[in-house]
Amino acid sequence: MSSKSMEILNKQRLLRPSSPHFTIYQPQLTWIASIFNRATGVALSALLYGFSLAYLAAPTTFDSAHIIEVVAGLPDAVKYAGKFVLALPFAFHSLNGVRHLAWDMGKFMTVKGCYISGYAVLGATAVSTLAMVFYV
Amino acid sequence: MQSLLPRTLPRFSRSSRALHTTARRFQAAPTAKPVLLKEFKIYRWNPDEPAAKPHLQSYKIDLNQTGPMILDALIKIKNEVDPTLTFRRSCREGICGSCAMNIDGQNTLACLCRIDRAGNDTKIYPLPHMYIVKDLVPDLTLFYKQYKSIQPYLQNDNPPEREHLQSQADRKKLDGLYECILCACCSTSCPSYWWNQDEYLGPATLMQAYRWIADSRDTYGEARKEKLQNEMSLYRCHTIFN
């Protein structure tokens, strides 16, 4: 291509829009589970690092006895909601992590396998979350 | 002589002009098909007016006067409603890969995707996260460059005198790999490819890279694998499986 036509083409290329992606792509178990895995991973890490740093900074306010005192004083509804908010990401991330390890070993590498393992993880997450909220 | 014929013989008619009356029983009158309107919302962007934002334009067509596939609908719209609608197409049978686009949220070939005859509208977008040349036409230059970069041809330093012999078992390893028509549907559905298009190769190119590594006639397997040994080309894959 001559340099004059390349110039015109590159000028046009600068103006081109990028087509929409996650806003229009059909929500599917595959990518919804994947982004949820990443989001729960970030949230759980933030909690872990946040708590560790807070404990380093102020060991007396964040030690076990003090935390138990504060939580015990909260109304029941808040306690159950809090347990739910902590249990769900933990359960999902751990179980989906196992699914990821299975993929790394070459298992469930078909569309069917991906969906069956995905639904199994969702079911197991629901069961474990309920178990953790009400029985632990 | 007619009166000598026995009365029991059936006679169609005495008149020689009877054909149109007696033939009525044998001709099928064409039944008019009811009008079945369907709305298509199609992504439009015109490079001649680059400042105008891309938008969805709505078209209604009669499905009973259209072929069964989305490509038939697009061609009907272009022929009868709006000739400025632009899209790629060629074989109309799912082998060339030109008409790849996002239909109702999933990347597929328009010539193979049946129109959903139920009431609601169908949204047609170009392949996700690609630079758009016009309407539904994406710029696939980078995609083809990435394909070229994996050296998709047989490389063998000691070619045999005549044919490269290959056992049936070895040939079977290529089944499922060689059929790729490079339509870009898979790569453009990968979120990792959306975010790292310039460096991550994407599923289509990676599968073809494997196709050449797996080919028993090719001796450059190690070199091909070495080329993928960096942070971005291969290892941006997070097994999302979209």
Side-chain angles (χ1 to χ4, degrees), chain B residues 35-54:
Chain B
V35 170
L36 179 59
L37 284 183
K38 182 164 174 109
E39 189 177 12
F40 287 91
K41 293 202 170 113
I42 305 181
Y43 179 98
R44 305 294 312 271
W45 181 73
N46 189 354
D48 295 327
E49 290 160 21
K53 286 208 147 156

Side-chain angles (χ1 to χ4, degrees), chain B residues 127-180:
Chain B
L127 292 176
H129 210 292
M130 299 296 276
Y131 287 113
I132 300 302
V133 175
K134 182 177 180 187
D135 293 347
L136 299 171
V137 176
D139 183 350
L140 292 169
T141 328
L142 182 61
F143 179 73
Y144 296 139
K145 267 209 184 112
Q146 286 166 338
Y147 179 61
K148 188 174 171 176
S149 74
I150 56 145
Q151 300 173 339
Y153 40 84
L154 195 62
Q155 293 177 294
N156 190 320
D157 282 332
N158 299 320
E161 266 187 35
R162 294 170 58 184
E163 311 99 333
H164 287 276
L165 294 178
Q166 187 177 51
S167 70
Q168 283 186 348
D170 281 335
R171 173 63 183 80
K172 206 154 193 283
K173 290 185 196 156
L174 299 178
D175 283 339
L177 302 177
Y178 78 90
E179 300 96 330
C180 176

Side-chain angles (χ1 to χ4, degrees), chain A residues 97-129:
Chain A
V98 173
R99 184 166 164 238
H100 253 90
L101 290 172
W103 280 333
D104 291 341
M105 290 198 294
K107 309 232 183 297
F108 307 125
M109 283 288 207
T110 62
V111 176
K112 230 173 181 258
C114 178
Y115 271 82
I116 289 176
S117 57
Y119 285 126
V121 163
L122 285 182
T125 306
V127 170
S128 350
T129 308

Side-chain angles (χ1 to χ4, degrees), chain B residues 105-122:
Chain B
Q106 286 190 311
N107 286 356
T108 181
L109 298 174
C111 60
L112 290 182
C113 180
R114 280 185 204 277
I115 302 175
D116 179 7
R117 297 180 81 87
N120 20 13
D121 54 12
T122 291

Side-chain angles (χ1 to χ4, degrees), chain B residues 44 57-62 73-85:
Chain B
R44 305 294 312 271
Q57 189 160 348
S58 189
Y59 300 97
K60 281 204 170 71
I61 56 167
D62 181 6
L74 287 172
I75 290 174
K76 187 178 171 73
I77 294 172
K78 190 173 173 74
N79 284 345
E80 298 175 16
V81 182
D82 184 355
T84 63
L85 179 65

